[in-house]
Amino acid sequence: VCVCVCVRVCLSSNPTGAWEAGLRLTNMSLAGLKALYERTRPELRRMYLLDRFWHGGPIPGPCKEFSGKRKPYFSGFDHKAFSIWFVEWTDDEKLWDVSICQDKIDELYEGMSPFKELCFGLMLAIDPNLPKCGETARGKNCKLTGLWIFRGIDQIPPIVARECPVMQQFAWSEANLRNKTDVKKINAFLCHETHWRTLNYSKNADTEISASGNGTPHGAHFYRCFSERG
């Protein structure tokens, strides 16, 4: 039985120097991952991005981060040098609509911005308050969830945890790549087709990404990628 333990970020993590000394050498580049994600059209992510994310493959289009005549190539996810984390909003403050979620995402991204070389993230806000035909809004609390990839394994980089206190408003749990449910959830985040900074009505905005697997059958959703260029 695979158990995923949800933990809060600990500000008293190991010193940054010791953490850096323990990092495993890797061919995987977060800049390459960001380029691969951003340059794969949303409607083609399930067809092309997933295989290249897990196993490696060429990065479509020109990429300024890379030089030389060879076509840019992403080496594939290195589970020995990087870790994948799920994040959920757990603070007592209520998220009554997606605009509040947008503000919270902005705060998180602002805090993360000095550490772009250490992380890559996707955040999703889901508003269940849009009524179905003939119904009235129910005033439910919105859901704010996300997927983050960090350099290193078993812990979030100590300098990020220390210098980004807004992380304390979220619960973080490391994905277990041996768990098919976790892998399916990762794939769902990577293949989400909502464009950056858009707000659209969706009948199944949360179905695949919900931790319970049941999802929210309707609602507005807001999807943003944490990017060096965004």
Side-chain angles (χ1 to χ4, degrees):
V1 178
C2 296
V3 179
C4 184
V5 180
C6 190
V7 297
R8 282 192 178 273
V9 179
C10 180
L11 293 181
S12 59
S13 302
N14 294 333
T16 302
W19 172 80
E20 290 179 342
L23 290 179
R24 180 188 177 95
L25 294 177
T26 179
N27 291 324
M28 177 179 157
S29 162
L30 277 180
L33 171 59
K34 294 170 184 177
L36 174 65
Y37 181 85
E38 293 179 351
R39 294 184 177 277
T40 303
R41 286 163 37 192
E43 65 272 17
L44 298 178
R45 285 177 187 153
R46 189 168 296 278
M47 184 180 301
Y48 295 110
L49 185 138
L50 287 185
D51 184 66
R52 296 176 185 182
F53 173 78
W54 293 112
H55 307 294
I59 298 172
C63 297
K64 295 180 180 179
E65 295 88 347
F66 304 93
S67 59
K69 297 180 179 179
R70 297 183 61 183
K71 188 173 181 62
Y73 189 90
F74 178 65
S75 61
F77 181 74
D78 185 351
H79 68 279
K80 295 181 179 180
F82 292 85
S83 54
I84 302 177
W85 295 71
F86 300 123
V87 57
E88 301 280 346
W89 174 264
T90 56
D91 196 76
D92 292 336
E93 182 180 349
K94 298 298 182 182
L95 305 176
W96 293 116
D97 57 55
V98 175
S99 64
I100 299 177
C101 292
Q102 293 177 20
D103 292 339
K104 298 304 176 185
I105 293 173
D106 286 340
E107 290 179 21
L108 180 61
Y109 284 8
E110 182 178 355
M112 293 286 200
S113 62
F115 312 107
K116 291 176 181 178
E117 73 282 359
L118 297 176
C119 58
F120 169 80
L122 303 166
M123 294 296 293
L124 173 66
I126 302 163
D127 184 356
N129 295 308
L130 288 183
K132 295 181 180 178
C133 182
E135 294 183 357
T136 56
R138 303 171 193 174
K140 291 183 179 178
N141 195 29
C142 295
K143 179 178 180 180
L144 181 55
T145 184
L147 173 83
W148 285 79
I149 297 174
F150 288 100
R151 185 70 167 96
I153 60 174
D154 298 331
Q155 67 170 325
I156 292 172
I159 190 172
V160 179
R162 185 174 63 249
E163 301 296 333
C164 186
V166 70
M167 294 179 71
Q168 296 297 309
Q169 296 178 297
F170 297 84
W172 300 78
S173 58
E174 186 172 4
N176 181 352
L177 300 185
R178 294 188 178 93
N179 186 321
K180 293 182 179 179
T181 301
D182 280 6
V183 173
K184 182 178 179 181
K185 189 174 178 181
I186 293 167
N187 291 344
F189 267 107
L190 292 173
C191 292
H192 202 280
E193 295 184 4
T194 308
H195 292 281
W196 183 74
R197 283 194 180 278
T198 62
L199 182 63
N200 298 313
Y201 176 78
S202 172
K203 292 181 65 178
N204 298 296
D206 189 33
T207 300
E208 290 185 282
I209 293 175
S210 169
S212 66
N214 296 323
T216 301
H218 64 287
H221 57 283
F222 173 85
Y223 198 63
R224 280 190 57 187
C225 171
F226 177 74
S227 165
E228 288 187 342
R229 288 187 293 273

